[in-house]
Amino acid sequence: MSNLFHARRKIERRNNFKLIASIVDWTVALYIVIPGAIIGFFLYKDFATYVETLWVSQVPLVFWIVLLLLFTGMPTIRTYLQRADRLFLIQNSKQMIQLKRAGFTWTLTKHLCRIGVYLALLAPIFINVHNLTILDLLSYLLLLFTTSFCNALVDLQMQKKWQQFCISTAIRLVSLALFLYVSPVMVAFICSILCIVSFMYYERHFVQSIKHFDQLVELDQVEFYKWQSTVSKTSIELRSMLIPKMKKPLLLWTNSKRMFSRSDYFIEELVCKTMLRQSQYKWGYLRLLLTGLGLIIVTPVWTKFVLLTLLFFGLRSYIKSLLQQIFEHNVWTIFQVTEEQMHQARKRLLKGFVHFPMTFVFALLVIYLIGYL
């Protein structure tokens, strides 16, 4: 590992810690992170203990492999290059090669650990339900790692999105065929050969060569700021720094027709259309709602109402903060709306986005509990 790599990793790590600290203060840690970790521990303990009697035991093994093939894609291979390094590269190419090699090693190691964590979390299903051994899991770990690494090389080599999609899909289908029709020992052998060939290819074309220097710098910067943008979206203060993505929805209200027949609902109409056309508002609400509903579905009975309560207050806080951000826009001074109109619109929007879906889910839970008892 080069000293330059350690220096840049240290700077990036310090900036990331500052970014997380600005979002996760002591109140968030005390009331959300710690209770969530405790509840998650006991939920996973119950899952691992009674996995043979749960609905997941009826899911075929190939489904979990396909799921892992889809969701264990390798992120962009980090090089930690900067544009000013092109001048430095002329004078000391050896250190530049060490920097790219160190970033390559760090990315692969971190990704291998990530896949290992996924397999470890699903180990009760693989071992207790499908009777796989530790050696089988290690073989499939190598299969998933090789698939994601080859896909990462395809993304580096191919510039067009449709080419990347077609070749990546073909690679995943070949990996699925290896899982279905080849023994785990042969899978490990084939994947080892492919990994060695892929390592040699990356070393020759992307580490030793400077042909793709600009591409590697751009991809590294995009990967760095993609993580920071994702973290920033969880904070209202940091979210305002992001460039809003406003666009008309593809299917709903594409011609800006009225959503409500009543004329006194114009505030609600503007807010709903803003949420539909601004991606971070729309997907933030849907992610929070669907994630909470998914957890309510798969968790035991004793935690369903607890999670429903947490989801209710979480959705309510999110919508209130979102409405506050929308109502602070200067456009409302043009319409000359009063505080009373704002208050009534806020109450109706909270009922529509929070109270109505939560009441519906609560009624379904009560019906399920009555049938369960």
Short mmCIF file of all heavy atoms in Angstrom, two decimals, residues 274-313:
data_model
loop_
_atom_site.label_atom_id
_atom_site.label_comp_id
_atom_site.label_asym_id
_atom_site.label_seq_id
_atom_site.Cartn_x
_atom_site.Cartn_y
_atom_site.Cartn_z
N THR A 274 -45.65 18.62 -6.83
CA THR A 274 -44.23 18.80 -6.51
C THR A 274 -43.60 17.49 -6.08
O THR A 274 -42.49 17.15 -6.50
CB THR A 274 -44.07 19.84 -5.39
OG1 THR A 274 -44.63 21.09 -5.82
CG2 THR A 274 -42.60 20.04 -5.05
N MET A 275 -44.32 16.72 -5.26
CA MET A 275 -43.79 15.42 -4.83
C MET A 275 -43.68 14.44 -5.98
O MET A 275 -42.75 13.64 -6.05
CB MET A 275 -44.68 14.84 -3.73
CG MET A 275 -44.61 15.60 -2.42
SD MET A 275 -45.54 14.79 -1.11
CE MET A 275 -44.66 13.24 -0.97
N LEU A 276 -44.64 14.50 -6.92
CA LEU A 276 -44.60 13.59 -8.06
C LEU A 276 -43.44 13.91 -9.00
O LEU A 276 -42.84 13.02 -9.59
CB LEU A 276 -45.92 13.65 -8.84
CG LEU A 276 -47.10 12.88 -8.24
CD1 LEU A 276 -48.37 13.22 -8.99
CD2 LEU A 276 -46.84 11.39 -8.29
N ARG A 277 -43.12 15.19 -9.13
CA ARG A 277 -42.14 15.60 -10.12
C ARG A 277 -40.74 15.76 -9.57
O ARG A 277 -39.80 15.91 -10.35
CB ARG A 277 -42.60 16.92 -10.77
CG ARG A 277 -43.89 16.76 -11.54
CD ARG A 277 -44.37 18.08 -12.12
NE ARG A 277 -45.63 17.90 -12.85
CZ ARG A 277 -46.26 18.87 -13.48
NH1 ARG A 277 -45.78 20.09 -13.47
NH2 ARG A 277 -47.40 18.62 -14.12
N GLN A 278 -40.59 15.75 -8.26
CA GLN A 278 -39.25 15.86 -7.67
C GLN A 278 -38.88 14.49 -7.10
O GLN A 278 -39.51 13.99 -6.17
CB GLN A 278 -39.20 16.93 -6.59
CG GLN A 278 -37.77 17.25 -6.17
CD GLN A 278 -37.65 18.64 -5.59
OE1 GLN A 278 -38.56 19.44 -5.71
NE2 GLN A 278 -36.54 18.95 -4.99
N SER A 279 -37.84 13.91 -7.65
CA SER A 279 -37.52 12.51 -7.38
C SER A 279 -37.22 12.25 -5.91
O SER A 279 -37.66 11.25 -5.34
CB SER A 279 -36.32 12.08 -8.23
OG SER A 279 -36.61 12.19 -9.60
N GLN A 280 -36.48 13.15 -5.26
CA GLN A 280 -36.06 12.87 -3.89
C GLN A 280 -37.25 12.87 -2.93
O GLN A 280 -37.25 12.13 -1.93
CB GLN A 280 -35.02 13.90 -3.43
CG GLN A 280 -35.52 15.34 -3.37
CD GLN A 280 -34.41 16.31 -3.04
OE1 GLN A 280 -33.29 16.11 -3.46
NE2 GLN A 280 -34.73 17.35 -2.31
N TYR A 281 -38.29 13.67 -3.21
CA TYR A 281 -39.49 13.65 -2.37
C TYR A 281 -40.28 12.36 -2.59
O TYR A 281 -40.67 11.69 -1.63
CB TYR A 281 -40.38 14.84 -2.69
CG TYR A 281 -39.80 16.19 -2.34
CD1 TYR A 281 -40.29 17.35 -2.91
CD2 TYR A 281 -38.75 16.31 -1.43
CE1 TYR A 281 -39.76 18.60 -2.58
CE2 TYR A 281 -38.21 17.54 -1.10
CZ TYR A 281 -38.72 18.68 -1.68
OH TYR A 281 -38.21 19.90 -1.36
N LYS A 282 -40.52 12.04 -3.85
CA LYS A 282 -41.35 10.88 -4.18
C LYS A 282 -40.72 9.58 -3.71
O LYS A 282 -41.36 8.79 -3.00
CB LYS A 282 -41.58 10.86 -5.69
CG LYS A 282 -42.32 9.65 -6.20
CD LYS A 282 -42.57 9.78 -7.70
CE LYS A 282 -41.27 9.96 -8.47
NZ LYS A 282 -41.51 10.11 -9.93
N TRP A 283 -39.46 9.35 -4.07
CA TRP A 283 -38.83 8.08 -3.73
C TRP A 283 -38.47 8.01 -2.25
O TRP A 283 -38.42 6.91 -1.68
CB TRP A 283 -37.59 7.87 -4.59
CG TRP A 283 -37.91 7.70 -6.04
CD1 TRP A 283 -37.55 8.50 -7.08
CD2 TRP A 283 -38.71 6.66 -6.62
NE1 TRP A 283 -38.06 8.05 -8.26
CE2 TRP A 283 -38.78 6.91 -8.02
CE3 TRP A 283 -39.37 5.55 -6.11
CZ2 TRP A 283 -39.48 6.09 -8.88
CZ3 TRP A 283 -40.07 4.73 -6.98
CH2 TRP A 283 -40.11 4.99 -8.34
N GLY A 284 -38.23 9.14 -1.61
CA GLY A 284 -37.99 9.12 -0.17
C GLY A 284 -39.20 8.64 0.59
O GLY A 284 -39.09 7.81 1.51
N TYR A 285 -40.38 9.14 0.21
CA TYR A 285 -41.62 8.70 0.86
C TYR A 285 -41.91 7.23 0.57
O TYR A 285 -42.25 6.46 1.48
CB TYR A 285 -42.78 9.57 0.36
CG TYR A 285 -44.13 9.11 0.82
CD1 TYR A 285 -44.56 9.32 2.12
CD2 TYR A 285 -45.00 8.44 -0.06
CE1 TYR A 285 -45.81 8.90 2.54
CE2 TYR A 285 -46.25 8.02 0.35
CZ TYR A 285 -46.66 8.25 1.65
OH TYR A 285 -47.88 7.82 2.07
N LEU A 286 -41.76 6.82 -0.68
CA LEU A 286 -42.04 5.42 -1.03
C LEU A 286 -41.05 4.46 -0.39
O LEU A 286 -41.43 3.37 0.05
CB LEU A 286 -42.02 5.26 -2.56
CG LEU A 286 -43.16 5.93 -3.32
CD1 LEU A 286 -42.98 5.75 -4.83
CD2 LEU A 286 -44.50 5.36 -2.88
N ARG A 287 -39.78 4.84 -0.33
CA ARG A 287 -38.80 3.96 0.33
C ARG A 287 -39.14 3.75 1.80
O ARG A 287 -39.09 2.63 2.31
CB ARG A 287 -37.39 4.55 0.18
CG ARG A 287 -36.69 4.22 -1.12
CD ARG A 287 -35.21 4.49 -1.02
NE ARG A 287 -34.95 5.90 -0.75
CZ ARG A 287 -34.71 6.80 -1.68
NH1 ARG A 287 -34.71 6.45 -2.96
NH2 ARG A 287 -34.47 8.06 -1.35
N LEU A 288 -39.46 4.85 2.49
CA LEU A 288 -39.80 4.74 3.90
C LEU A 288 -41.05 3.91 4.12
O LEU A 288 -41.09 3.02 4.99
CB LEU A 288 -39.97 6.14 4.49
CG LEU A 288 -40.26 6.23 5.99
CD1 LEU A 288 -39.14 5.59 6.78
CD2 LEU A 288 -40.43 7.68 6.41
N LEU A 289 -42.08 4.14 3.30
CA LEU A 289 -43.34 3.41 3.46
C LEU A 289 -43.18 1.93 3.12
O LEU A 289 -43.58 1.05 3.91
CB LEU A 289 -44.41 4.04 2.57
CG LEU A 289 -45.78 3.37 2.56
CD1 LEU A 289 -46.40 3.42 3.95
CD2 LEU A 289 -46.70 4.03 1.55
N LEU A 290 -42.57 1.61 1.98
CA LEU A 290 -42.46 0.22 1.56
C LEU A 290 -41.49 -0.57 2.42
O LEU A 290 -41.70 -1.76 2.68
CB LEU A 290 -42.02 0.16 0.08
CG LEU A 290 -43.02 0.76 -0.92
CD1 LEU A 290 -42.47 0.68 -2.33
CD2 LEU A 290 -44.36 0.05 -0.82
N THR A 291 -40.41 0.09 2.88
CA THR A 291 -39.49 -0.60 3.79
C THR A 291 -40.18 -0.96 5.09
O THR A 291 -40.03 -2.09 5.60
CB THR A 291 -38.26 0.27 4.07
OG1 THR A 291 -37.60 0.58 2.84
CG2 THR A 291 -37.27 -0.45 4.98
N GLY A 292 -40.95 -0.02 5.64
CA GLY A 292 -41.68 -0.32 6.88
C GLY A 292 -42.71 -1.41 6.69
O GLY A 292 -42.84 -2.32 7.53
N LEU A 293 -43.45 -1.37 5.57
CA LEU A 293 -44.44 -2.42 5.32
C LEU A 293 -43.78 -3.78 5.12
O LEU A 293 -44.31 -4.80 5.57
CB LEU A 293 -45.27 -2.05 4.09
CG LEU A 293 -46.18 -0.83 4.22
CD1 LEU A 293 -46.93 -0.58 2.92
CD2 LEU A 293 -47.17 -1.01 5.37
N GLY A 294 -42.64 -3.80 4.44
CA GLY A 294 -41.93 -5.06 4.26
C GLY A 294 -41.48 -5.66 5.58
O GLY A 294 -41.60 -6.87 5.81
N LEU A 295 -40.97 -4.82 6.47
CA LEU A 295 -40.56 -5.31 7.79
C LEU A 295 -41.76 -5.80 8.59
O LEU A 295 -41.67 -6.80 9.31
CB LEU A 295 -39.83 -4.21 8.56
CG LEU A 295 -38.44 -3.83 8.03
CD1 LEU A 295 -37.90 -2.63 8.79
CD2 LEU A 295 -37.48 -5.01 8.15
N ILE A 296 -42.88 -5.11 8.48
CA ILE A 296 -44.08 -5.54 9.20
C ILE A 296 -44.55 -6.90 8.70
O ILE A 296 -45.00 -7.75 9.49
CB ILE A 296 -45.19 -4.48 9.05
CG1 ILE A 296 -44.82 -3.21 9.82
CG2 ILE A 296 -46.53 -5.01 9.55
CD1 ILE A 296 -45.76 -2.06 9.60
N ILE A 297 -44.43 -7.15 7.42
CA ILE A 297 -44.90 -8.42 6.85
C ILE A 297 -44.05 -9.60 7.33
O ILE A 297 -44.56 -10.66 7.70
CB ILE A 297 -44.91 -8.34 5.32
CG1 ILE A 297 -46.00 -7.37 4.85
CG2 ILE A 297 -45.15 -9.72 4.69
CD1 ILE A 297 -45.99 -7.08 3.37
N VAL A 298 -42.71 -9.43 7.34
CA VAL A 298 -41.83 -10.57 7.58
C VAL A 298 -41.49 -10.78 9.05
O VAL A 298 -40.93 -11.82 9.41
CB VAL A 298 -40.52 -10.42 6.78
CG1 VAL A 298 -40.79 -10.31 5.30
CG2 VAL A 298 -39.72 -9.20 7.26
N THR A 299 -41.82 -9.83 9.92
CA THR A 299 -41.44 -9.97 11.33
C THR A 299 -42.49 -10.74 12.12
O THR A 299 -43.64 -10.87 11.67
CB THR A 299 -41.24 -8.58 11.97
OG1 THR A 299 -42.40 -7.77 11.70
CG2 THR A 299 -40.01 -7.89 11.40
N PRO A 300 -42.13 -11.25 13.29
CA PRO A 300 -43.12 -11.97 14.12
C PRO A 300 -44.25 -11.06 14.58
O PRO A 300 -44.19 -9.83 14.47
CB PRO A 300 -42.27 -12.45 15.32
CG PRO A 300 -40.87 -12.44 14.82
CD PRO A 300 -40.77 -11.34 13.83
N VAL A 301 -45.28 -11.69 15.17
CA VAL A 301 -46.50 -10.97 15.54
C VAL A 301 -46.21 -9.92 16.61
O VAL A 301 -46.74 -8.81 16.57
CB VAL A 301 -47.57 -11.96 16.03
CG1 VAL A 301 -48.82 -11.23 16.51
CG2 VAL A 301 -47.93 -12.94 14.92
N TRP A 302 -45.33 -10.25 17.56
CA TRP A 302 -45.11 -9.34 18.69
C TRP A 302 -44.42 -8.04 18.29
O TRP A 302 -44.44 -7.06 19.04
CB TRP A 302 -44.29 -10.04 19.77
CG TRP A 302 -42.89 -10.41 19.38
CD1 TRP A 302 -42.48 -11.55 18.79
CD2 TRP A 302 -41.71 -9.61 19.57
NE1 TRP A 302 -41.13 -11.54 18.59
CE2 TRP A 302 -40.62 -10.36 19.06
CE3 TRP A 302 -41.46 -8.34 20.10
CZ2 TRP A 302 -39.32 -9.88 19.06
CZ3 TRP A 302 -40.16 -7.87 20.12
CH2 TRP A 302 -39.11 -8.63 19.61
N THR A 303 -43.82 -8.02 17.11
CA THR A 303 -43.14 -6.79 16.68
C THR A 303 -43.92 -6.01 15.62
O THR A 303 -43.53 -4.89 15.29
CB THR A 303 -41.76 -7.13 16.11
OG1 THR A 303 -41.91 -8.04 15.02
CG2 THR A 303 -40.87 -7.74 17.17
N LYS A 304 -45.00 -6.58 15.09
CA LYS A 304 -45.71 -5.92 14.00
C LYS A 304 -46.29 -4.57 14.45
O LYS A 304 -46.15 -3.56 13.75
CB LYS A 304 -46.82 -6.83 13.47
CG LYS A 304 -46.31 -8.07 12.74
CD LYS A 304 -47.44 -8.86 12.13
CE LYS A 304 -46.96 -10.15 11.48
NZ LYS A 304 -46.06 -9.91 10.35
N PHE A 305 -46.94 -4.54 15.62
CA PHE A 305 -47.55 -3.30 16.07
C PHE A 305 -46.50 -2.29 16.53
O PHE A 305 -46.71 -1.08 16.42
CB PHE A 305 -48.55 -3.58 17.18
CG PHE A 305 -49.79 -4.29 16.71
CD1 PHE A 305 -49.90 -5.67 16.84
CD2 PHE A 305 -50.82 -3.59 16.10
CE1 PHE A 305 -51.04 -6.32 16.39
CE2 PHE A 305 -51.95 -4.23 15.65
CZ PHE A 305 -52.07 -5.60 15.78
N VAL A 306 -45.38 -2.79 17.04
CA VAL A 306 -44.29 -1.88 17.41
C VAL A 306 -43.73 -1.20 16.17
O VAL A 306 -43.52 0.02 16.13
CB VAL A 306 -43.18 -2.65 18.16
CG1 VAL A 306 -41.99 -1.74 18.45
CG2 VAL A 306 -43.72 -3.25 19.45
N LEU A 307 -43.50 -2.01 15.12
CA LEU A 307 -42.99 -1.44 13.87
C LEU A 307 -44.02 -0.52 13.22
O LEU A 307 -43.65 0.49 12.61
CB LEU A 307 -42.61 -2.57 12.91
CG LEU A 307 -41.39 -3.39 13.31
CD1 LEU A 307 -41.19 -4.55 12.33
CD2 LEU A 307 -40.14 -2.52 13.33
N LEU A 308 -45.31 -0.86 13.34
CA LEU A 308 -46.35 0.01 12.79
C LEU A 308 -46.34 1.37 13.49
O LEU A 308 -46.49 2.42 12.84
CB LEU A 308 -47.71 -0.65 12.93
CG LEU A 308 -48.90 0.15 12.39
CD1 LEU A 308 -48.77 0.34 10.89
CD2 LEU A 308 -50.22 -0.56 12.72
N THR A 309 -46.17 1.37 14.82
CA THR A 309 -46.09 2.63 15.56
C THR A 309 -44.88 3.45 15.13
O THR A 309 -44.97 4.67 14.91
CB THR A 309 -46.03 2.34 17.07
OG1 THR A 309 -47.16 1.54 17.45
CG2 THR A 309 -46.03 3.64 17.86
N LEU A 310 -43.72 2.78 15.01
CA LEU A 310 -42.52 3.49 14.57
C LEU A 310 -42.68 4.02 13.16
O LEU A 310 -42.24 5.15 12.84
CB LEU A 310 -41.31 2.55 14.65
CG LEU A 310 -40.89 2.08 16.05
CD1 LEU A 310 -39.74 1.08 15.96
CD2 LEU A 310 -40.47 3.27 16.90
N LEU A 311 -43.32 3.23 12.28
CA LEU A 311 -43.54 3.69 10.91
C LEU A 311 -44.48 4.88 10.87
O LEU A 311 -44.27 5.82 10.08
CB LEU A 311 -44.11 2.54 10.07
CG LEU A 311 -44.41 2.85 8.60
CD1 LEU A 311 -43.15 3.28 7.86
CD2 LEU A 311 -45.04 1.64 7.91
N PHE A 312 -45.50 4.88 11.73
CA PHE A 312 -46.44 6.01 11.77
C PHE A 312 -45.72 7.31 12.14
O PHE A 312 -45.86 8.33 11.44
CB PHE A 312 -47.56 5.72 12.77
CG PHE A 312 -48.46 6.89 13.04
CD1 PHE A 312 -49.46 7.22 12.13
CD2 PHE A 312 -48.30 7.66 14.18
CE1 PHE A 312 -50.29 8.30 12.37
CE2 PHE A 312 -49.12 8.75 14.42
CZ PHE A 312 -50.12 9.07 13.51
N PHE A 313 -44.95 7.28 13.22
CA PHE A 313 -44.26 8.50 13.64
C PHE A 313 -43.15 8.87 12.66
O PHE A 313 -42.87 10.06 12.46
CB PHE A 313 -43.71 8.32 15.05
CG PHE A 313 -44.77 8.34 16.12
CD1 PHE A 313 -45.14 7.18 16.77
CD2 PHE A 313 -45.40 9.53 16.45
CE1 PHE A 313 -46.12 7.20 17.75
CE2 PHE A 313 -46.38 9.56 17.43
CZ PHE A 313 -46.76 8.39 18.08
#
